[in-house]
Amino acid sequence: MPKGRDVEDLTLGKNWFVVNADGQVLGRLATRIARLLIGKDKPNFTPHLDCGDHVVVINAERVRLTGNKIDQKIYRHHSGFPGGLKEIPIRRLMQTRPEEIIREAVLGMLPKNKLRARRARKLRIYKGEADLARHAGQNPQPLAL
């Protein structure tokens, strides 16, 4: 760490960005969001500190999948009990909880370390544009991808 600099000085300057997912490809959108959460594009990026920005994603239900993913991709998780494998096709998840698709894609691209949970808390995802009003106090800047 540079001499004479406090740890808080490196974590200051967290911006708020609004990302519109309307018509965006899921993987490319998730990579850009993950870079913002990590803070990789900032000049004061430090791998062991949380330097990333806050990201608000709107229109999550309009994200686009390429190829045959809408028919073939399946999300799986296990409860830990025998026979506890749960499988949810992405088509059903798009209808019920489209925010979870973007969240899973972004969290899969974050480094698996102690900062992951803190970075994940700075991600907010909404189905439509109506919920953007609750973040008006943070003055989020629109980000064109």
Side-chain angles (χ1 to χ4, degrees):
M1 184 159 22
K3 203 172 197 178
R5 261 184 140 164
D6 198 16
V7 174
E8 278 74 30
D9 289 343
L10 292 173
T11 58
L12 286 178
K14 296 195 185 296
N15 301 320
W16 284 73
F17 292 106
V18 175
V19 176
N20 192 352
D22 189 11
Q24 299 287 328
V25 178
L26 176 64
R28 294 177 187 272
L29 175 72
T31 346
R32 185 71 176 122
I33 293 171
R35 285 187 71 85
L36 286 170
L37 291 174
I38 296 169
K40 203 82 182 244
D41 297 332
K42 289 187 169 187
N44 64 347
F45 171 71
T46 311
H48 65 279
L49 293 177
D50 185 20
C51 303
D53 297 319
H54 295 266
V55 179
V56 179
V57 181
I58 56 174
N59 294 325
E61 59 194 7
R62 296 187 189 148
V63 74
R64 193 165 56 107
L65 297 169
T66 58
N68 294 328
K69 291 186 193 81
I70 195 76
D71 298 320
Q72 295 176 351
K73 188 166 179 66
I74 296 174
Y75 288 102
R76 294 179 177 93
H77 67 277
H78 201 283
S79 67
F81 291 98
L85 180 66
K86 308 288 184 194
E87 295 182 340
I88 303 171
I90 198 166
R91 185 178 295 273
R92 186 166 13 128
L93 205 56
M94 282 288 277
Q95 295 166 353
T96 57
R97 294 177 294 150
E99 309 93 10
E100 292 302 313
I101 295 172
I102 296 177
R103 185 176 310 283
E104 285 293 321
V106 171
L107 291 183
M109 294 182 184
L110 290 178
K112 281 66 172 180
N113 57 21
K114 292 182 179 184
L115 294 175
R116 185 178 193 207
R118 186 180 302 171
R119 289 172 175 159
R121 277 195 300 266
K122 294 189 292 182
L123 175 65
R124 287 134 179 114
I125 306 171
Y126 302 110
K127 280 185 186 179
E129 295 181 18
D131 292 317
L132 183 59
R134 72 172 63 165
H135 297 293
Q138 285 82 23
N139 194 15
Q141 305 155 355
L143 186 70
L145 297 180

